Amino acid sequence: MITKNTVVELPESNLKVRVICRHMKMLRLHIKPDGTIMLSVPYFTPEAYIRSFLISKLDWVVRTRKKYAQTMSNPEILPAGSAAGYAGFSSAVPGTGESKTKFEKRWKEAALSNYTETINRFYPVVKQHTQLIPSIKIRTMKSLWGSCNRKTGVITLNSQLFRAPQHCIDYVVLHELSHYLYKNHDHVFYTFIAEHMPDWKERQKYLNRTIALV
């Protein structure tokens, strides 16, 4: 019986699966864009049943992980439509003869210009509902595209987001601005986003499947 979070190894495929116990009735299998395999299970699910379930889904797991591996872009390569590409960058790393320090300064300045313009476009959506005035910070983050401090109004955006197409940057900015009004990722939060960006799910999916966080 599984009573706590664990990792199950499948010798048949050399795959490791993160098993998470939850108060739920059915098993739920999920593959993250980085290839991590997640399986949510009800408490006290027999390990033998979990293994049998995973083996029955093995072909799907392999196909899905392969698809992600093919669609996730090399961190050095800018995907089609990249905002950085339109700003004159040919790669996400320094070119021949350019120092890393100089490249990163040039990248962050261009990214800040883009993010500032994007926030200025979307701020009117929330302005009438809040007294917060946005200020922007740029950081390199390994697990987040952006974050919002509801007390100070500071929106922090990942420097790697600049590699994405503009429509994805627009989504992240609207997402973070919406936190001025709604703290949690609940139904009301996403309903508000959908009112102003009906295709936000497609933008989010494209971003997470196309741009690798490193």
Side-chain angles (χ1 to χ4, degrees):
M1 299 285 186
I2 299 294
T3 59
K4 61 181 181 179
N5 298 348
T6 186
V7 175
V8 172
E9 297 187 28
L10 295 177
E12 301 87 348
S13 59
N14 296 318
L15 294 175
K16 294 183 179 181
V17 182
R18 292 179 58 186
V19 179
I20 302 172
C21 293
R22 300 185 186 277
H23 294 290
M24 56 193 306
K25 295 182 179 181
M26 300 178 64
L27 280 68
R28 184 168 67 244
L29 184 61
H30 174 64
I31 313 292
K32 298 177 67 175
D34 65 1
T36 302
I37 308 169
M38 312 284 290
L39 178 66
S40 299
V41 304
Y43 282 96
F44 305 109
T45 302
E47 184 172 348
Y49 180 79
I50 290 174
R51 289 184 176 277
S52 175
F53 174 83
L54 289 171
I55 291 172
S56 72
K57 301 293 184 180
L58 188 57
D59 287 345
W60 176 83
V61 169
V62 172
R63 288 198 310 271
T64 303
R65 293 179 86 242
K66 183 178 180 180
K67 181 179 178 181
Y68 276 136
Q70 292 172 340
T71 56
M72 290 292 280
S73 66
N74 184 316
E76 297 182 3
I77 299 174
L78 299 178
S82 166
Y86 283 114
F89 291 86
S90 58
S91 173
V93 295
T96 304
E98 184 175 24
S99 69
K100 181 179 179 181
T101 300
K102 183 177 180 181
F103 175 83
E104 289 181 348
K105 181 176 183 294
R106 189 164 61 91
W107 181 277
K108 286 188 176 182
E109 287 177 349
L112 179 60
S113 176
N114 178 288
Y115 298 166
T116 300
E117 185 276 330
T118 306
I119 284 181
N120 288 340
R121 277 192 292 113
F122 282 95
Y123 179 60
V125 171
V126 301
K127 183 178 180 180
Q128 61 182 320
H129 305 293
T130 181
Q131 298 297 316
L132 291 170
I133 304 297
S135 60
I136 308 170
K137 289 185 178 180
I138 295 180
R139 288 179 50 203
T140 298
M141 298 181 280
K142 293 185 178 296
S143 60
L144 295 173
W145 292 117
S147 64
C148 174
N149 187 319
R150 300 178 76 242
K151 292 183 178 180
T152 64
V154 173
I155 290 178
T156 303
L157 295 172
N158 197 326
S159 61
Q160 297 183 64
L161 180 62
F162 194 40
R163 290 164 41 219
Q166 187 62 48
H167 72 277
C168 294
I169 298 175
D170 289 352
Y171 160 67
V172 174
V173 165
L174 178 60
H175 180 112
E176 300 308 333
L177 283 172
S178 298
H179 278 303
Y180 282 1
L181 312 182
Y182 307 101
K183 179 180 179 180
N184 299 317
H185 293 129
D186 54 18
H187 175 71
V188 178
F189 175 84
Y190 285 113
T191 297
F192 179 81
I193 291 179
E195 288 177 356
H196 300 281
M197 189 176 288
D199 64 341
W200 70 268
K201 288 184 179 180
E202 287 73 21
R203 300 184 192 216
Q204 181 192 61
K205 186 180 296 184
Y206 182 89
L207 176 63
N208 291 332
R209 286 185 174 181
T210 308
I211 311 297
L213 276 172
V214 293

